[in-house]
Amino acid sequence: MKNNKIREIILGKPLDPMKSETRHSMALVAFLAWVGLGADGLSSSAYGPEETFRALGGHTHLGLYMAIATAVTVFIIALAYNQVIELFPTGGGGYRVASKLVGPYMGLISGCALILDYVLTIAISIASGVDALASFLPLGFQPYKLWAEMFFIGLLIVMNLRGLKEAIQILLPIFLGFVVTHLVLIVYGIFAHASHLPELIPSTVAETTDLASHIGWAGVAGMLLLAYSQGGGTYTGLEAVSNNVNLLAEPRVRTGKVTMLYMALSLAFTAGGIILLYLLWDAQPVPGETLNASTFKTIIASMGLGGEVVNQVLLVIVLAFEAGLLFVAANTGFLGGPSVLANMAGDSWVPHKFRYLSTRLVTQNGILVMGIAALAILWWTGGSVTLLVVLYSISVFLTFAISLFGLVLYWSRNRKKGTQWKRRWLLSALGFVICAGILIVLLIEKFAEGGWATAAIIAAMAAFCYYIRKHYRETKQAIHSVDEVFASQPFGSNAEPIEPHQEDQTAVFIVGTSRGGGLHALLWVQRMFPGHFKNFLFVNARTVDSHAYGGEGALEQMREEAAETLEFFVDFCHSHGMAASSYLGFGTDAVEEVTRLCEEINREFPHSIFFTSKLIFASDNWFTRLLHNQAALAAQRRLHLEGLQMVILPMKV
């Protein structure tokens, strides 16, 4: 009882998943979705433009091309991903696109890359945020950055375990603060150099021509392509909306498109504007400071708002909002990552427990795994933003390239009049060429500097997922063969329903979706205790998981399927002249719901004994225990604690 109270204080009161208003109260409108999902993309302006500008070396005049290319690329990718929102309105994004349009194994690669992407979203956002804070702290703080990063990840884990809207609403003022401060700095920074703008284009062209005369046009193109690719982190986060359409308020497709528009406009303006500021204000690297910090310091000083102290305070406010937004962006990893894991669990690539919801209706297992994995990667990389950007960009652009290739295939196959398929095919093809190009350049140029690690991690994850799915497939086939064995059990001739009597001996069967498993238990009890039990009750506690809760109409479908299965068992008993009835419950924790239903049944039928089946594997080890939830053993323990008798019947597979 005390543990439950502590849990409630930290995580909040349980929510009822079966109430329709719960789903609506948690769904995100476009503005909140922009905050919760768009922060990932917008925050990349804190490190993406800097990586681009640094890659130019001394040829900073090329920054003008990068500013334009960055803004244009943002809109190309955003418009292409609008198609993903249309085609897959239940979410899943890159994973669903690859699985449905390219093939399940390409979907597996895309899913693994997405999971790594979201882990790195958390890691890089927290690392960059702490770097921004460290920019106005003494150099002596540098050795403690990693510990600060660990603390902030722990804080975000707790916030997300409380629930999605709570986390976003807490972070909303930070997001708005970033937008306002950076809008003012970018607009002022550009207009302060308005007199230089007319000559910027001709001088850039002249300097580029001069550079080409020394290293050739191929050399200039190579330099631009490398800088463009290294700034690939700027475009990360644009896929977040398509991955999480199921979290959006109805109508989801329209809400998703509006959110994507907000994201594209804000990211194109901010990232392109910051590169332009570097160029106009002649940004130079300063030890212990980000390029944003040193540039903003110069701009604030030129405003003449006060003395050095006032300027320093304003800089601290701007960098604090920048760090805060990066922490909001890290939160996107806790929204998107568990969602991808839940979708992959639905296809049996990862343990099914990643679909389960907590009492706060969040995918608790996914949140914990994402947080722990982010901590591990931060520890391994030492919080190096440069290394994390390489890992991050490769995983993101692998997903982008596969998704956009899937869209190219889709529009090649669906060339119908009135669908504007030519325009959409061209947009998808252009996006694919850009993303595949960036991916190839990054792999070649940065393979030795961390690119190999991304490839190795994704390959290892895919191999493990394949092994998991193979086990689930074999188990499913074994259960199906059991169902087939019992499918031939004939119904009796009795047509009248027989109601159970409360004082009679009662056998209560906890059943699932397998009719064979339920009949196996029923026939076993009749064979072992002939004529002893007069009542036969059937209990089904269905888990309301992320798929049932996220999809429109999925709860109703689950209710119908469960009721149909229970009706089969009751009709079977009635046909053989046996008194029977059924009980159905729904909850986020199947064991808790089973316990509640069994206690209710025991009060009504005091002479009850409970039975259920448990899968027995030839080789029981940590792997099988990881993949199967051991619900039968957990329910038995709970019922024994309540003084109720429960027998587990082995069902070998």
Side-chain angles (χ1 to χ4, degrees), residues 1-9:
M1 193 73 180
K2 188 177 180 182
N3 288 342
N4 288 342
K5 194 68 181 173
I6 294 170
R7 182 186 178 87
E8 194 173 294
I9 291 169

Side-chain angles (χ1 to χ4, degrees), residues 118-124 126 150 153 334 368-381 388:
Y118 281 120
V119 169
L120 289 164
T121 294
I122 299 168
I124 196 172
I126 293 292
M150 302 286 180
I153 287 180
F334 286 109
L368 292 173
V369 164
M370 299 305 290
I372 292 166
L375 287 170
I377 281 189
L378 270 177
W379 193 265
W380 172 56
T381 60
L388 286 167

Side-chain angles (χ1 to χ4, degrees), residues 42 45-46 49 178-179 182-183 186 265-275:
L42 191 54
S45 61
F178 174 91
V179 171
H182 283 64
L183 176 67
I186 291 169
L265 286 171
S266 56
L267 179 56
F269 175 81
T270 309
I274 285 175
I275 294 175

Side-chain angles (χ1 to χ4, degrees), residues 575-589:
S575 73
H576 289 283
M578 297 149 58
S581 186
S582 65
Y583 294 79
L584 178 59
F586 296 91
T588 55
D589 187 322

